[in-house]
Amino acid sequence: MGDPLRSKLKVVLYTSLALVLGLGLASGFKSVRGGEAATLPDGHASAELHAAPATEAATEAATAAADESPAVTAPAPADFQALADVSRALVAITELVKPAVVSVVSHGTLTSRQLPHGFEDLFGQFQDQQPESYFDAPLGRGSGFIVSKDGYILTNNHVVRNAERIEVELSDGRLFQAELVGRDPTTDIALLKIDVQGLPSLVLGDPDATEVGEFVMAIGNPGTEFGSELPFTVTTGIVSAKGRSLAIIQRFAGEGAAYAIEDFIQTDAVINPGNSGGPLVNYRGEVIGVNTAIQSATGYYQGYGFAIPITLAQDVMEDLIEFGRVRRAALRVQITAPDHNDVRAYGLPGPTGAIIQDFNDDSPAEKAGMQRGDVIVAVDGTLVQRVGQLQRTVASYEPGERAKIKVIRYGKEMTFDVKLAEANVPQPAPAITEVTPRQGNRLIGIQVLDLTPDLARQAGFQDYGNVQGALVTNTMRFGPAWNAELIPGYLIQSVNGKPVTDVASFDAALGELKPGDLITIEAIRATAPDGELYHRIFNMAVPEE
């Protein structure tokens, strides 16, 4: 049985778009010149304008002006109905989808480069080529979406590939530590799990039934050229093309490059850094793709966005849940796309299909009788339009299943019954999803000194009498104090309500805390030249090991 809300959205959107397009052809307005009267559609009364009596000269001038320009009329309310219906449909889709979209933040040890070149365009990195910190560092922010009420979340592999700890923030502001169930570099898909029940989840659609020109919506957490985060942003557009290959996953899938699959959906819905892993949805609010990459000379949106078909992501997800790894069916053939010369050479009806160039060891396709130069044109009756589609179609089978493979061998059609093998897809090393113990992880990451007369002058406290506390002289990158903006120059006055008069009392207050405990620090800062002290409260937590 279909979802009544999605059925309603479909009818409203199609009807409304048709009405909007028809406004330009079937409007009741008339634009006239000279002495003709501008009229409103039938059933609407004309508006009357009341003004002081005009002079004869003014009347003649007004008449002459009217002869040279068309009359302007106010639109009738009925003509806005179609636009109102479209607007309501978009709002309904957003309300349906947005609660299930999440923000994904990766934490871990900084390296010289966190991402392969090309993925930076869509994964919002926080830092690049920075020295290692004593503390668990934020590596970047991406997006994801909930696919089950018990907390399974789909995102991109490149969002979490270096993560030692993963945080997931829901649209309602709740924050969870996520388990990395598994990831697949050959499709750039990763699956997360958070320990919570009753979550809003999205319905997965059929990208193969999606047509070029169809309406789509993207939701995610983009950033700006100034580094600002714009969480849970909604953009709209259309499907610009299907079956795109950027060769980006192949280049960075490591040992699994030979099994990488690219069959992207292209869209002009605005997506930017930080959108990686977010959903691309259709007019029914169903997910048809996972936003993954953009083509841009600047690193920001220029009209070309690419999403992984959700059916491929779903196959990966199901394998990771059931087997803990990706199991992929394979013909074990090496293939290329035909060009116009290949069409002539192999007797093809057009430049579609996939040419077998060679066979890998123990190839079931070769055992079944297929040969080099055969052009695969269908799998179990599904036409093969392009290489990526063939890869995705075969990957949808289970290893050991049989498939009818139709080929064209120099103009002659032939069909082979093939028992699909299992691809030797390299499995990535298990990612660490807890903070690696490092020096400083039990601290809040600041250095403090007793307030001597010399330090008081340097910090601007010399005119404030007998002010006491522990003076912050250094803040370690990515530590709790650094994240809370407790910077050098602040004089700590209390910790969790206990007075701090010097370093000893500060250490004593911290000594009572354990990992995970919340810390509230009250501090002051001199704010010359107005002579007043600036008071601030800082809340942070002791890092977990």
Side-chain angles (χ1 to χ4, degrees):
M1 182 177 292
D3 188 319
L5 174 56
R6 290 185 174 82
S7 299
K8 182 178 180 181
L9 288 176
K10 178 178 177 181
V11 172
V12 170
L13 191 60
Y14 273 153
T15 304
S16 303
L17 288 174
L19 289 171
V20 170
L21 293 174
L23 284 178
L25 300 177
S27 174
F29 292 106
K30 298 179 182 179
S31 179
V32 296
R33 294 180 179 273
E36 295 184 45
T39 61
L40 291 170
D42 293 340
H44 293 277
S46 299
E48 294 183 357
L49 298 178
H50 299 279
T55 63
E56 183 177 347
T59 302
E60 290 177 357
T63 302
D67 289 338
E68 295 178 2
S69 61
V72 178
T73 59
D79 292 299
F80 291 113
Q81 186 59 49
L83 291 174
D85 289 342
V86 171
S87 180
R88 283 195 295 270
L90 297 180
V91 170
I93 296 171
T94 301
E95 291 177 346
L96 181 71
V97 175
K98 187 176 175 180
V101 178
V102 305
S103 173
V104 179
V105 179
S106 297
H107 299 263
T109 306
L110 287 174
T111 60
S112 60
R113 177 172 283 279
Q114 297 301 322
L115 296 172
H117 177 68
F119 279 122
E120 297 93 335
D121 286 345
L122 202 52
F123 178 34
Q125 285 182 280
F126 288 122
Q127 304 290 333
D128 189 25
Q129 298 182 349
Q130 297 282 357
E132 182 178 349
S133 168
Y134 286 120
F135 289 91
D136 184 35
L139 304 179
R141 183 185 300 275
S143 304
F145 54 96
I146 303 168
V147 293
S148 69
K149 296 183 182 302
D150 59 347
Y152 281 104
I153 295 169
L154 277 174
T155 186
N156 282 135
N157 171 67
H158 72 262
V159 170
V160 297
R161 65 190 295 268
N162 290 320
E164 297 175 358
R165 181 169 63 88
I166 303 169
E167 283 184 342
V168 167
E169 182 180 356
L170 307 188
S171 62
D172 60 11
R174 287 183 291 169
L175 192 66
F176 297 91
Q177 299 296 317
E179 171 196 357
L180 179 59
V181 178
R183 58 190 184 91
D184 178 27
T186 68
T187 57
D188 196 31
I189 291 297
L191 182 66
L192 310 178
K193 178 74 164 61
I194 58 176
D195 188 17
V196 62
Q197 299 290 325
L199 293 170
S201 61
L202 298 185
V203 174
L204 307 186
D206 182 4
D208 292 328
T210 302
E211 298 180 6
V212 174
E214 233 177 79
F215 166 86
V216 287
M217 176 182 288
I219 303 179
N221 305 282
T224 70
E225 61 182 329
F226 306 107
S228 300
E229 179 196 354
L230 303 172
F232 306 106
T233 294
V234 180
T235 59
T236 62
I238 63 168
V239 173
S240 303
K242 296 170 63 178
R244 296 298 199 202
S245 176
L246 307 180
I248 191 170
I249 295 179
Q250 285 91 333
R251 292 201 301 272
F252 306 112
E255 297 178 356
Y259 299 99
I261 301 176
E262 285 195 11
D263 196 32
F264 289 124
I265 301 167
Q266 181 182 329
T267 179
D268 67 347
V270 178
I271 54 180
N272 270 311
N275 275 108
S276 271
L280 185 71
V281 302
N282 61 18
Y283 58 86
R284 291 186 292 269
E286 300 167 340
V287 182
I288 62 168
V290 182
N291 297 323
T292 299
I294 59 177
Q295 185 171 323
S296 169
T298 65
Y300 290 88
Y301 172 77
Q302 288 187 228
Y304 308 100
F306 301 92
I308 298 166
I310 192 60
T311 45
L312 178 59
Q314 186 174 12
D315 289 339
V316 172
M317 175 183 70
E318 291 172 352
D319 275 356
L320 291 174
I321 292 174
E322 185 173 356
F323 306 106
R325 64 185 181 90
V326 175
R327 298 172 69 252
R328 183 165 300 154
L331 289 168
R332 290 186 180 164
V333 295
Q334 297 177 25
I335 53 178
T336 59
D339 60 20
H340 291 287
N341 290 325
D342 294 325
V343 169
R344 294 177 58 190
Y346 297 117
L348 305 177
T352 60
I355 305 169
I356 297 177
Q357 300 290 353
D358 204 353
F359 297 96
N360 297 332
D361 292 340
D362 198 27
S363 167
E366 186 176 30
K367 290 179 180 179
M370 298 168 69
Q371 300 178 5
R372 296 179 182 87
D374 286 351
V375 183
I376 300 175
V377 294
V379 178
D380 281 337
T382 300
L383 295 180
V384 175
Q385 302 293 331
R386 55 196 180 271
V387 168
Q389 181 196 14
L390 173 62
Q391 294 173 315
R392 184 159 62 90
T393 300
V394 173
S396 68
Y397 287 77
E398 290 293 322
E401 287 187 329
R402 308 193 74 89
K404 301 288 186 182
I405 310 297
K406 180 187 287 188
V407 306
I408 294 179
R409 181 177 293 172
Y410 295 99
K412 182 181 179 180
E413 288 190 358
M414 306 177 72
T415 301
F416 299 89
D417 182 30
V418 180
K419 182 180 180 180
L420 300 173
E422 181 172 350
N424 298 317
V425 180
Q427 302 299 317
I432 303 169
T433 55
E434 295 182 358
V435 178
T436 302
R438 289 193 293 276
Q439 181 182 359
N441 257 6
R442 280 188 175 273
L443 309 176
I444 63 172
I446 58 173
Q447 293 177 349
V448 294
L449 293 174
D450 288 327
L451 191 64
T452 65
D454 184 51
L455 286 177
R457 282 193 298 272
Q458 293 181 41
F461 291 109
Q462 69 275 12
D463 297 327
Y464 295 100
N466 296 322
V467 65
Q468 292 180 313
L471 182 67
V472 179
T473 58
N474 188 29
T475 304
M476 298 177 186
R477 295 174 68 245
F478 307 124
W482 189 88
N483 292 330
E485 300 180 350
L486 179 54
I487 61 175
Y490 274 104
L491 186 66
I492 296 175
Q493 302 279 279
S494 71
V495 173
N496 287 348
K498 295 184 177 181
V500 170
T501 58
D502 51 22
V503 172
S505 57
F506 174 73
D507 288 342
L510 286 183
E512 300 176 3
L513 301 172
K514 59 183 183 297
D517 281 354
L518 185 67
I519 307 171
T520 297
I521 291 178
E522 295 187 39
I524 57 175
R525 185 180 178 89
T527 56
D530 59 13
E532 294 183 1
L533 291 177
Y534 175 66
H535 293 256
R536 183 165 173 183
I537 300 172
F538 300 91
N539 293 307
M540 62 197 77
V542 178
E544 301 276 0
E545 283 195 351

